Amino acid sequence: MRLAANCMKFIILIVSLSTLPLHAQKRTSIEGFVLNSETGKALYGCNVSVKGTLLGAATNTQGHFIIEGMGTGNYTLISSMIGYERHTLPITVEPGSIQIIEIRLTSAPIIGPAVIVTASKRQQPLESTPISVDVVRGKDIALRNVVSVDEVLANSAGIGVIDGQIDIRGSTGFNWTAGSRVLLLLDGHPLIGGDTGGINWDAIAPEEVEQIEVVKGAGSALYGSNAMAGVINIITKAPSTTPETRYKLTWGFFDKPAYDQWAWTDNFLMTQLADNNLSFSEALSTKGISLTHSRKIGRTGIRLHMTQRSSTGYQQNGDYSRLNLMAKSRTDLGKGRLLNISGGWSVNNHGDVLQWESLQAPLEVPANELGNNVRYEKMFINADFRQVLSETFGITAKVNGYHTFWENDFYDNNDQAKNYRLGAELQTDRIMGKHTLTSGIELITAGTNSDIYGDRSTWDGAVYAEDQWQPHPSLTLTMGARFDLHHVDSIGTDSQISPRIGAVYKTWQGGLWRFTAGRGFRAPSIAEIFAQIIVSGFKVIPNPNLDKAERALSLETGFHQMAGWPDLPLNPMIDLDAAIFYSRYDNMIDVQVADNESAIQFANIGAARIWGIETRLNTAFLNRKIETSLGYTWLSHSRIKNNDPLPYRPRHRANIGLAANWKGFFCGVDYRYASRAEAVANIYPNDPRVAMHVMDFRAGHSWNRYRISIEIKNLRNYHYTLRQRFMEPVRQFFITFEGLLGANATFN
Amino acid sequence: MAALTWLCTACYDGHGLEPGTDNLSTPGITGIISFEGSWPDSTREVRVAALRHFPHGLSENTELINFMTTAFLTGDLVFSDTLALFRNQVEYSLDLAPGEYKWIVVAWFPELDDYLQGVKELGAYTNTSDETDEPQSITVRDGQRITGININANLIHINRDRPFFEWPGDAE
């Protein structure tokens, strides 16, 4: 405790130092355009920053940028964007001068992102990040019929998704959606349920996602609880500068299962066709419509989005009806001040499938569970204000609120819960010579009022600081820590210190070596401590002794290489990443059978060890007309006490992607493999399961303001489970039509 | 090439799970019994019973007991093995001949010499589409082991005079 107090004093000192008053400076600004050097087209989304300062801007759809708040003197502008060489430009800013700069970027063997924002809570080049980061690009989502954002994450190396629960490198496995060892952020704001601490993907409309950053490894040094195994930051699309409206219509249907005896209804479309009894209204199908409008009014850019989706599902109780509303505004207040406000509301009425009836009827549920239904509402509102107070000092203030409400309509319970999570954070970023210091303070309160949890609340307080030091142009060192206090009513208060160190060394052209070591933690959620419920015969009882946070020590070292050979035939480019990682978990929280063997409960089950290797190779040919991706993760996992494997963790996981585009035509194949999990929670006496082999196919054409595409998910109609007695989706066919309205709007 | 090889390999891997690969080819039902209330010391045993017919037209306790005895002898009533006692939750498994079973009940037997006379229904597998809590019938197909036949059983019902709850009036 004494160590904790000293650490806290140290962190508070650093936070205080970084907020010292600043010298007023005479400010000016520069502006310009960023263009493609080969085509002369404006480049949208290019990051232009001023070296050695916090100043920067992103280009709009016209390729225009403006950077305010500069003093006079000599500077270097750095322009970076996915797929282009980094461009540096020395400039001299004189008093009263107005400079309009034209920057031309040339293609480069950079397949991944140029700039990320999640690893250090601020914008930074990928090559200065000491930890593994995967990025899902907006176009990877746009070209697929993505119903839920987690679907696209399943195509990333080392990431598994079970029932919406994210497993990064074997960290989570599956714990029945109570608690997540991965923190979900929406534009930098936590989006974690106040009751379970879990992730609700259907609060986010996939159409609004610009980029997803996945930081693998302990992130608690900056983000605290839940980030013990990683952070996923979903960055939504920015409002456009010119009026733009986008619409999208989707319709799809489910194929029959591979075995006739599993076809539980005659309303599979293929059955209807075979019986000459086609009825689109009764066929098992999915339909969706979305509408987005964006424009700028004065200094404020706004973006409004609506999605309505409904589906009969492919199995009994598999139906759902969802409505998503999202809004976002970005106001440039001038003088380096930026205000972002976003909000959303969603409602999902869906059937509930806890378990199949039997393997003879795996798409049916037990008769008494037929009709089980859940209504789930989510509402969030986030706001952040950023101000660059000087070239080397900036502050960010954030507030966020997340409210969820769910209500069961089950045969054996009508439980409901109202949950909230409120947070506030003040962050400062300061550049001091070769040091960049990020520090902040965060306060969180969460609570629930529920039949099954009671009336409960928690609060958290934290301070953090991280310094990035560049003693040599090829070497970047990172060191930081976060101190957290976590209080649960009627249980008590716990404190955690989560330090992290890291190093990045640039080896040669396009190559780097990285190392990071950090501690992470996750406080037990309200659901894990207090849940008391009987669902379909499963009795869950509370565990008031669950008062210890689970902790992890994580190590990782890796190598990253980018290279391109533009003069060779096919213009090959590669982006290679390889990592070895190790984590030791203490006081791990998981489901266990209670002492009297009459119920299950969440408990600290002891220590566990997870280590493995991960490789990722992205290649591109013919100026990215053809792209491939290959990822493979090997995992070793066991409880330290008895060497038993941890549940729901496949030993091998691989993904392959092939994509091609030419003159507006595009097609692609995704393949995902996970070996059969060696262990699952010991809930059922037996559990049939196989390895996962899933292949998706897509093709389409974009022309001007229109795009049409088809997609076949689970092309091989492969039948598998990821959790016990729940059959994953059968083959599905989709057709999607999209259109744009707006002066400069185009898909090409 | 490695990727293509992998893809081709995957194409020859069949359809994954198949009917019957769970080795549950013996027809029957399985599920979990959740008990509420206090276990009396007078408990002799508890079993799950599956009946093909309701005791239509019978009301006297003696008639009901006789009905059970007859049904058991004719195969219209099947009992599970005795369940573990004094627990809040227990899993059961019951082999059944293919066919329809109108009534799946949890039966409690007292520690008496003539314990059949004291049998009490603690709960039944119930209908979920309405709020009447009426018994839900099941149909077991050949080679089908139906899982998830979960029943809530309340030990307070051992104090009832009648051995069974009401059953649907239109039942056979």
Side-chain angles (χ1 to χ4, degrees):
Chain A
M1 204 57 202
R2 188 177 172 185
L3 176 64
N6 287 337
C7 279
M8 190 168 176
K9 285 176 189 170
F10 170 73
I11 294 168
I12 290 172
L13 176 65
I14 289 178
V15 173
S16 306
L17 281 173
S18 65
T19 55
L20 287 174
L22 301 158
H23 296 292
Q25 293 186 29
K26 189 174 181 181
R27 308 286 176 79
T28 185
S29 63
I30 58 171
E31 61 180 297
F33 293 86
V34 181
L35 309 172
N36 182 318
S37 65
E38 293 148 14
T39 64
K41 280 187 177 178
L43 293 178
Y44 166 60
C46 175
N47 285 284
V48 184
S49 59
V50 183
K51 187 178 180 182
T53 75
L54 294 168
L55 304 176
T59 57
N60 62 20
T61 48
Q62 283 81 47
H64 179 253
F65 72 90
I66 182 165
I67 301 174
E68 295 182 305
M70 297 184 70
T72 58
N74 296 321
Y75 294 94
T76 301
L77 282 186
I78 300 174
S79 306
S80 49
M81 186 173 178
I82 295 173
Y84 292 89
E85 278 187 1
R86 176 163 300 168
H87 182 276
T88 58
L89 177 68
I91 59 168
T92 301
V93 180
E94 295 174 351
S97 68
I98 299 174
Q99 293 200 49
I100 298 181
I101 297 163
E102 182 178 295
I103 297 169
R104 289 180 175 266
L105 300 187
T106 54
S107 296
I110 301 170
I111 299 168
V115 173
I116 58 168
V117 297
T118 311
S120 297
K121 276 199 169 181
R122 60 184 169 78
Q123 206 171 72
Q124 67 177 149
L126 181 63
E127 63 261 30
S128 67
T129 306
I131 196 165
S132 284
V133 179
D134 271 4
V135 173
V136 179
R137 301 167 296 183
K139 79 168 193 179
D140 294 329
I141 300 171
L143 297 182
R144 294 168 171 85
N145 179 55
V146 177
V147 175
S148 181
V149 175
D150 53 310
E151 286 178 31
V152 287
L153 291 170
N155 289 320
S156 298
I159 297 180
V161 182
I162 304 178
D163 209 5
Q165 194 154 20
I166 295 291
D167 177 22
I168 296 180
R169 293 176 173 170
S171 59
T172 302
F174 178 63
N175 61 354
W176 303 87
T177 69
S180 172
R181 296 187 179 104
V182 178
L183 176 66
L184 178 68
L185 305 174
L186 183 65
D187 290 319
H189 295 270
L191 201 67
I192 293 288
D195 52 350
T196 63
I199 295 173
N200 304 120
W201 293 102
D202 52 5
I204 305 162
E207 290 81 3
E208 286 299 281
V209 177
E210 175 68 33
Q211 178 168 298
I212 305 174
E213 297 179 5
V214 182
V215 179
K216 300 173 180 177
S220 296
L222 283 175
Y223 291 100
S225 183
N226 285 96
M228 69 185 303
V231 180
I232 295 175
N233 191 5
I234 296 178
I235 298 160
T236 59
K237 290 176 179 170
S240 61
T241 50
T242 56
E244 180 182 299
T245 301
R246 179 182 290 246
Y247 54 92
K248 180 177 174 181
L249 302 165
T250 300
W251 184 82
F253 65 92
F254 296 97
D255 201 352
K256 278 198 314 180
Y259 308 101
D260 287 340
Q261 70 188 87
W262 286 0
W264 57 277
T265 172
D266 293 333
N267 286 326
F268 286 103
L269 194 96
M270 294 305 188
T271 306
Q272 291 181 342
L273 282 171
D275 296 344
N276 205 16
N277 185 28
L278 185 61
S279 170
F280 284 106
S281 62
E282 293 181 5
L284 298 190
S285 61
T286 299
K287 57 192 174 190
I289 180 170
S290 70
L291 192 64
T292 307
H293 180 72
S294 183
R295 67 188 306 137
K296 195 168 185 181
I297 303 172
R299 285 175 168 266
T300 302
I302 60 167
R303 192 171 180 93
L304 305 170
H305 176 85
M306 182 279 294
T307 296
Q308 164 68 46
R309 276 197 187 85
S310 60
S311 176
T312 58
Y314 59 97
Q315 56 187 341
Q316 286 183 342
N317 283 11
D319 60 298
Y320 68 81
S321 175
R322 298 180 190 169
L323 175 66
N324 278 81
L325 302 175
M326 291 179 74
K328 181 175 183 177
S329 75
R330 171 171 289 185
T331 305
D332 186 349
L333 298 167
K335 298 180 180 176
R337 295 173 300 172
L338 190 65
L339 175 65
N340 293 307
I341 301 174
S342 60
W345 179 78
S346 68
V347 59
N348 188 0
N349 274 302
H350 63 89
D352 186 82
V353 183
L354 180 69
Q355 58 190 343
W356 64 36
E357 184 194 83
S358 68
L359 192 54
Q360 318 308 319
L363 301 181
E364 299 172 51
V365 296
N368 59 345
E369 295 176 21
L370 190 62
N372 278 3
N373 197 73
V374 181
R375 177 182 172 84
Y376 211 146
E377 293 180 32
K378 296 115 192 164
M379 184 175 70
F380 67 86
I381 183 160
N382 301 327
D384 53 75
F385 172 76
R386 298 161 200 262
Q387 179 161 22
V388 178
L389 292 167
S390 76
E391 292 176 358
T392 57
F393 182 67
I395 61 167
T396 303
K398 297 179 183 175
V399 291
N400 43 67
Y402 187 39
H403 171 80
T404 59
F405 167 76
W406 58 260
E407 183 176 26
N408 289 344
D409 182 11
F410 288 3
Y411 81 94
D412 57 354
N413 79 70
N414 291 96
D415 293 318
Q416 57 173 274
K418 293 176 184 169
N419 318 292
Y420 67 89
R421 187 186 190 279
L422 302 171
E425 183 177 1
L426 181 67
Q427 178 185 326
T428 65
D429 296 292
R430 182 161 198 163
I431 296 176
M432 296 176 291
K434 294 178 178 177
H435 293 265
T436 303
L437 180 66
T438 300
S439 58
I441 183 167
E442 187 173 8
L443 298 170
I444 301 162
T445 180
T448 183
N449 185 287
S450 162
D451 300 344
I452 61 173
Y453 310 132
D455 193 359
R456 310 289 180 183
S457 65
T458 66
W459 63 259
D460 295 75
V463 288
Y464 60 86
E466 187 168 89
D467 181 37
Q468 185 176 294
W469 176 38
Q470 193 168 21
H472 184 272
S474 297
L475 181 63
T476 305
L477 302 173
T478 303
M479 183 174 68
R482 173 167 164 139
F483 176 77
D484 279 87
L485 281 174
H486 177 70
H487 176 81
V488 183
D489 71 348
S490 77
I491 298 292
T493 305
D494 188 19
S495 63
Q496 299 288 336
I497 298 171
S498 308
R500 180 169 73 172
I501 57 170
V504 181
Y505 180 68
K506 292 178 188 171
T507 52
W508 57 81
Q509 189 66 37
L512 61 85
W513 168 85
R514 65 176 184 271
F515 168 80
T516 190
R519 295 211 67 165
F521 81 100
R522 185 179 72 87
S525 66
I526 288 174
E528 287 167 310
I529 302 172
F530 298 110
Q532 184 163 23
I533 186 172
I534 295 177
V535 180
S536 300
F538 290 103
K539 189 171 187 177
V540 181
I541 59 173
N543 183 2
N545 297 320
L546 183 58
D547 55 354
K548 293 193 188 87
E550 54 181 3
R551 301 215 55 176
L553 169 65
S554 297
L555 306 170
E556 180 197 324
T557 184
F559 177 77
H560 188 210
Q561 176 71 55
M562 291 185 288
W565 299 272
D567 299 328
L568 289 179
L570 304 180
N571 324 116
M573 304 174 184
I574 65 161
D575 179 342
L576 171 69
D577 193 278
I580 301 175
F581 54 89
Y582 170 88
S583 293
R584 180 197 159 99
Y585 290 84
D586 289 300
N587 301 323
M588 203 172 197
I589 299 171
D590 213 334
V591 173
Q592 71 168 18
V593 178
D595 287 342
N596 59 6
E597 297 186 2
S598 62
I600 58 175
Q601 65 180 179
F602 292 90
N604 293 115
I605 61 165
R609 180 192 303 117
I610 298 173
W611 73 278
I613 58 170
E614 184 174 292
T615 58
R616 177 171 52 80
L617 174 65
N618 295 336
T619 62
F621 305 93
L622 297 172
N623 293 324
R624 293 193 185 80
K625 288 186 174 59
I626 298 173
E627 290 184 321
T628 72
S629 62
L630 175 64
Y632 171 72
T633 306
W634 177 83
L635 209 61
S636 171
H637 50 83
S638 60
R639 290 185 180 171
I640 289 175
K641 182 179 174 184
N642 52 18
N643 246 9
D644 283 349
L646 297 170
Y648 306 104
R649 275 104 167 155
R651 182 82 53 181
H652 305 273
R653 197 182 282 283
N655 61 282
I656 301 171
L658 299 168
N661 68 88
W662 181 72
K663 292 188 175 179
F665 290 93
F666 61 89
C667 64
V669 176
D670 297 317
Y671 171 69
R672 298 183 295 282
Y673 166 79
S675 59
R676 182 179 182 274
E678 292 155 70
V680 293
N682 188 24
I683 294 174
Y684 297 100
N686 57 56
D687 172 51
R689 56 186 190 274
V690 293
M692 175 180 77
H693 293 275
V694 177
M695 192 184 298
D696 301 335
F697 170 80
R698 65 186 180 280
H701 180 50
S702 306
W703 72 101
N704 297 326
R705 300 178 177 196
Y706 306 104
R707 179 159 64 203
I708 189 164
S709 61
I710 59 165
E711 185 169 23
I712 307 172
K713 292 185 179 180
N714 193 0
L715 182 68
R716 301 174 49 233
N717 211 10
Y718 187 82
H719 299 306
Y720 64 105
T721 59
L722 294 176
R723 65 170 170 89
Q724 293 102 310
R725 305 188 181 186
F726 182 91
M727 189 70 81
E728 295 297 321
V730 297
R731 181 162 47 210
Q732 303 162 74
F733 299 83
F734 290 98
I735 182 165
T736 302
F737 177 76
E738 295 171 80
L740 292 169
L741 300 172
N744 301 311
T746 176
F747 280 114
N748 297 112
Chain B
M1 283 306 292
L4 288 174
T5 305
W6 200 328
L7 282 173
C8 293
T9 305
C11 288
Y12 287 101
D13 199 50
H15 287 285
L17 285 173
E18 298 172 4
T21 50
D22 60 350
N23 295 321
L24 292 176
S25 55
T26 305
I29 57 174
T30 65
I32 294 168
I33 311 297
S34 299
F35 293 97
E36 288 186 44
S38 303
W39 283 89
D41 293 337
S42 59
T43 301
R44 176 191 177 104
E45 61 187 39
V46 172
R47 296 173 187 262
V48 176
L51 290 101
R52 286 187 183 272
H53 309 287
F54 291 109
H56 185 62
L58 305 179
S59 58
E60 297 298 324
N61 287 2
T62 308
E63 292 176 328
L64 293 170
I65 299 301
N66 289 339
F67 165 81
M68 277 177 50
T69 307
T70 306
F72 180 72
L73 293 173
T74 59
D76 289 343
L77 166 61
V78 183
F79 282 113
S80 71
D81 292 337
T82 54
L83 307 181
L85 303 179
F86 306 106
R87 295 184 177 181
N88 294 334
Q89 199 168 59
V90 64
E91 190 159 342
Y92 76 94
S93 182
L94 178 57
D95 294 346
L96 294 172
E100 184 183 19
Y101 293 82
K102 298 278 190 187
W103 207 9
I104 314 294
V105 299
V106 177
W108 175 88
F109 298 89
E111 193 69 78
L112 296 173
D113 290 340
D114 191 2
Y115 63 89
L116 277 178
Q117 295 297 327
V119 64
K120 295 289 166 56
E121 176 192 348
L122 300 180
Y125 183 64
T126 55
N127 197 339
T128 60
S129 57
D130 55 38
E131 296 181 354
T132 61
D133 284 339
E134 288 189 350
Q136 168 76 52
S137 67
I138 60 162
T139 300
V140 178
R141 295 188 279 253
D142 192 20
Q144 183 187 30
R145 194 82 173 175
I146 302 176
T147 60
I149 306 299
N150 304 327
I151 304 172
N152 292 325
N154 198 328
L155 289 153
I156 200 170
H157 297 311
I158 62 173
N159 299 319
R160 291 165 56 94
D161 291 334
R162 288 168 53 81
F164 300 111
F165 300 136
E166 298 297 324
W167 49 86
D170 57 351
E172 294 173 16

